[in-house]
């Protein structure tokens, strides 16, 4: 082995890494101490919460959160994206429809006025003929 390159087992870098067997041994020791402490006070130890270990990298977890936020934003904006403003062509069409309605209303009022005038004339003629009798 070269002298300039430190190995994993020696030095500061190697001491920061812990193997799974060391983790399992530490967990077993902690569980024994946990049970012993409750045994001293005469109680049954409560169930220990399971540790949820997420083996994904930080990038993968952040990417998932980003994707979820983007989907929520897309869902929120989906409805607002369905509507658009009225352009010039639509405006002209709606103005034409409104003008047609106004014209039909005028025609209807004129017909009603003509029919009412004809009715009044016929009623007055009928009264005149009844008065003559």
């Amino acid at each position: 082995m070269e002298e300039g390159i430190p190995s994993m087992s020696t030095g500061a870098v190697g001491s920061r890494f812990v193997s799974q067997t060391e983790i399992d041994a530490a967990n077993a020791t902690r569980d024994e101490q946990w049970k012993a402490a409750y045994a001293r006070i005469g109680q049954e130890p409560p169930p220990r919460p399971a540790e949820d270990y997420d083996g994904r990298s930080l990038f993968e977890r952040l990417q998932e959160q980003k994707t979820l936020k983007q989907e929520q934003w897309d869902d929120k904006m989906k409805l607002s994206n369905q509507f658009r403003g009225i352009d010039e062509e639509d405006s002209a069409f709606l103005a034409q429809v409104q003008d047609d309605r106004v014209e039909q209303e005028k025609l209807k009022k004129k017909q009603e006025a003509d029919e009412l005038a004809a009715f009044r004339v016929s009623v007055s003629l009928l009264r005149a003929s009844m008065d003559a009798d």
Side-chain angles (χ1 to χ4, degrees), residues 56-119:
R56 298 178 298 163
S57 67
L58 177 62
F59 174 77
E60 290 170 338
R61 288 182 277 172
L62 292 175
Q63 193 67 32
E64 180 186 13
Q65 290 178 3
K66 180 181 175 184
T67 304
L68 287 174
K69 285 183 181 180
Q70 183 67 34
E71 288 174 358
Q72 290 172 352
W73 188 83
D74 288 343
D75 288 343
K76 187 173 83 172
M77 300 307 277
K78 185 186 298 184
L79 187 60
S80 66
N81 289 338
Q82 291 179 353
F83 301 104
R84 61 178 176 81
I86 296 176
D87 59 4
E88 189 174 326
E89 186 177 313
D90 292 339
S91 177
F93 172 75
L94 293 173
Q96 180 63 38
V97 168
Q98 183 65 23
D99 291 343
D100 290 346
R101 279 193 192 145
V102 168
E103 193 64 36
Q104 287 176 354
E105 287 293 321
K106 284 182 183 177
L107 240 158
K108 186 177 178 182
K109 285 183 181 182
K110 186 178 181 310
Q111 287 176 344
E112 287 177 358
D114 291 345
E115 289 176 5
L116 188 58
F119 175 74

